Amino acid sequence: MEDRPSKSSPAQQEEVEAGMKPLQVILAEDNPVNQKLALRLLQRLGYRADVAGNGLEAIEALRRQQYDVVLMDVQMPEMDGLEATRAIHREWPAAQRPRIIALTANAMSGDRERCLAAGMDDYISKPLRKKELLTIVEKWLKLGTESTKSDADS
C-alpha cells in the first residue's frame, strides 16, 4: 500500500504542528474591524473561524454545521448575542450545544452576570487580547476534551 499525502489544509497542519486540537469556531460579530481583529488573533493561535454578522446568521450557521465554540458579540443588529444565546439554548440540547463566549465592549458591572444568565459559558471584554483569548479557548478546549473522555469512559 502506498503512502498518500495528507489532504489536510495548511491551517489544519498548523494546528497539528502546534499540538492544538482542531476546533470549529464561529465568530458572531457585526463590526468589520472587530471581525478582522478576532480572525487574525484566532489565526495566530492556530484556529480558523467562520463569521456571522448577527445572531440570526449565527443560528442559521449552527443549523448547517456543528461548532465547538461561538464567540458571540453581545450588541448586534437583527438579533443580539443575548437573545441568540437564549435561542441556541432552546434549540440544542446541552450535549450538542457549542460553548458560547460573550464578546462585549461593555465591561461594566453586571455585564458578565447578564451574559452568564442568558446562557453564555464565558465572557471576554473588547478589545480582544491574544493572551486572554488563548486562555479562554484553551480552557474550553480542555473542558471539552475531559467531557468527551468521561463520556467514553462511562
Side-chain angles (χ1 to χ4, degrees):
M1 191 152 158
E2 70 183 71
D3 289 336
R4 292 187 181 185
S6 169
K7 291 188 177 184
S8 61
S9 71
Q12 289 170 324
Q13 288 173 350
E14 285 176 14
E15 290 168 2
V16 171
E17 290 168 8
M20 298 181 95
K21 188 174 176 181
L23 195 65
Q24 297 295 319
V25 178
I26 184 164
L27 170 67
E29 168 66 65
D30 62 311
N31 183 299
V33 173
N34 290 339
Q35 287 175 358
K36 287 178 185 177
L37 173 63
L39 291 173
R40 187 168 293 130
L41 285 175
L42 286 164
Q43 184 178 24
R44 286 182 186 161
L45 296 173
Y47 296 107
R48 184 190 73 73
D50 294 332
V51 177
N54 60 54
L56 286 174
E57 289 178 13
I59 291 169
E60 290 170 9
L62 287 168
R63 289 178 181 143
R64 289 189 307 267
Q65 177 179 331
Q66 184 173 347
Y67 289 93
D68 301 304
V69 173
V70 179
L71 297 174
M72 183 80 75
D73 185 20
V74 174
Q75 294 182 348
M76 294 182 286
E78 306 275 332
M79 178 185 280
D80 69 27
L82 298 174
E83 185 54 38
T85 298
R86 290 183 198 104
I88 291 166
H89 275 261
R90 286 190 300 268
E91 192 163 331
W92 283 272
Q96 296 174 0
R97 191 168 46 236
R99 300 294 182 180
I100 304 171
I101 301 168
L103 303 177
T104 183
N106 298 329
M108 311 236 316
S109 176
D111 285 343
R112 179 179 179 85
E113 291 74 20
R114 279 185 342 155
C115 292
L116 297 176
M120 294 178 170
D121 298 292
D122 221 323
Y123 176 96
I124 301 177
S125 59
K126 294 190 265 186
L128 293 177
R129 291 169 190 83
K130 184 177 176 182
K131 184 175 180 181
E132 185 180 11
L133 184 59
L134 178 62
T135 300
I136 295 282
V137 169
E138 285 183 340
K139 170 185 169 182
W140 291 110
L141 178 60
K142 181 179 179 196
L143 288 174
T145 303
E146 289 172 359
S147 168
T148 303
K149 184 179 181 213
S150 66
D151 292 345
D153 292 342
S154 50

